[in-house]
Amino acid sequence: DAKTTQPTSMDCAEGRAANLPCNHSTISGNEYVYWYRQIHSQGPQYIIHGLKNNETNEMASLIITEDRKSSTLILPHATLRDTAVYYCIVRADNNAGNMLTFGGGTRLMVKP
Amino acid sequence: KAGVTQTPRYLIKTRGQQVTLSCSPISGHRSVSWYQQTPGQGLQFLFEYFSETQRNKGNFPGRFSGRQFSNSRSEMNVSTLELGDSALYLCASSEGAISGNTIYFGEGSWLTVV
């Protein structure tokens, strides 16, 4: 699976949009972009995933660039409960198995 | 639907002992994978089981093993525990071989080796 690069940490003011970038310049055509977050001492929580098109759900929006070499996770109105480590992962679209390769993630701190 | 359930949530073991952790996947999910999380190494993949067969394996010593039962429930075992095995062990499940399917994690089992 392709490697991803994320900033180590970011701050966001409560109520503002949090935009978390991810670089995956070596992504292959059959690889999805997945986002998970982990709140301290809990298991990772699935947020969203996409292949080519932008995606939106009740938690967040995922914007993938046209060349698919980078993406941005957007939390539209960040709350204190969104403080967590956010992981961007790329995963192949095949039947080889369900293995996720986690990097260091971005530690998002939402401040009042 | 109930989520991924892991037991026990917390346990303390002594060096040299062995431990078994249990995972019940989401109903209907046939793939179960295990991860180890430590402060130094982050989240690392241990192995994955699909329909009772190990499909993928991470880079861990043979002391780490697992199995999956016909009802998709899974167990992992660590023998001859070392202090460095202290970690959060996470189980994740998904429907299986479907491409682009979502993987859901449990809350984990905290293992402390003393």
Side-chain angles (χ1 to χ4, degrees), chain A residues 34 36 38 93 95-96 98 100, chain B residues 35 37 56 94 96-97 99 103:
Chain A
Y34 282 78
Y36 284 80
Q38 188 174 27
D93 173 16
N95 293 329
N98 294 317
L100 296 174
Chain B
Y35 294 77
Q37 186 172 26
N56 286 292
S94 67
S99 302
I103 299 173

Side-chain angles (χ1 to χ4, degrees), chain B residues 23-85:
Chain B
C23 173
S24 293
I26 292 171
S27 177
H29 285 192
R30 293 185 296 162
S31 168
V32 174
S33 49
W34 290 88
Y35 294 77
Q36 181 197 64
Q37 186 172 26
T38 61
Q41 299 298 319
L43 267 157
Q44 293 186 288
F45 172 78
L46 279 159
F47 29 67
E48 182 211 0
Y49 287 87
F50 178 73
S51 294
E52 301 179 65
T53 301
Q54 187 179 86
R55 184 158 66 173
N56 286 292
K57 190 176 191 305
N59 188 26
F60 278 82
R63 300 185 297 106
F64 292 81
S65 63
R67 60 178 175 168
Q68 186 180 33
F69 303 96
S70 58
N71 62 358
S72 293
R73 192 177 68 84
S74 177
E75 290 181 346
M76 67 161 285
N77 183 278
V78 187
S79 62
T80 320
L81 284 166
E82 301 176 359
L83 296 179
D85 296 332

Side-chain angles (χ1 to χ4, degrees), chain A residues 40-109:
Chain A
H40 184 60
S41 301
Q42 298 181 19
Q45 178 188 23
Y46 165 79
I47 301 173
I48 198 166
H49 73 281
L51 184 62
K52 295 179 182 178
N53 300 320
N54 298 336
E55 302 287 344
T56 296
N57 63 20
E58 65 278 3
M59 288 183 68
S61 295
L62 173 60
I63 308 298
I64 303 173
T65 58
E66 193 169 341
D67 62 8
R68 303 207 325 120
K69 293 185 177 182
S70 66
S71 61
T72 301
L73 178 74
I74 301 173
L75 307 178
H77 305 287
T79 71
L80 299 179
R81 288 178 294 180
D82 292 322
T83 293
V85 178
Y86 288 75
Y87 296 98
C88 169
I89 300 164
V90 293
R91 177 171 156 240
D93 173 16
N94 57 36
N95 293 329
N98 294 317
M99 181 180 82
L100 296 174
T101 303
F102 287 83
T106 296
R107 187 172 299 275
L108 176 68
M109 178 74 70

Side-chain angles (χ1 to χ4, degrees), chain A residues 8-62:
Chain A
T8 304
S9 64
M10 292 181 63
D11 290 344
C12 178
E14 188 179 19
R16 304 296 293 270
N19 296 283
L20 291 90
C22 179
N23 183 286
H24 31 80
S25 58
T26 59
I27 193 169
S28 300
N30 68 345
E31 289 183 312
Y32 283 80
V33 179
Y34 282 78
W35 283 84
Y36 284 80
R37 73 179 182 184
Q38 188 174 27
I39 297 169
H40 184 60
S41 301
Q42 298 181 19
Q45 178 188 23
Y46 165 79
I47 301 173
I48 198 166
H49 73 281
L51 184 62
K52 295 179 182 178
N53 300 320
N54 298 336
E55 302 287 344
T56 296
N57 63 20
E58 65 278 3
M59 288 183 68
S61 295
L62 173 60

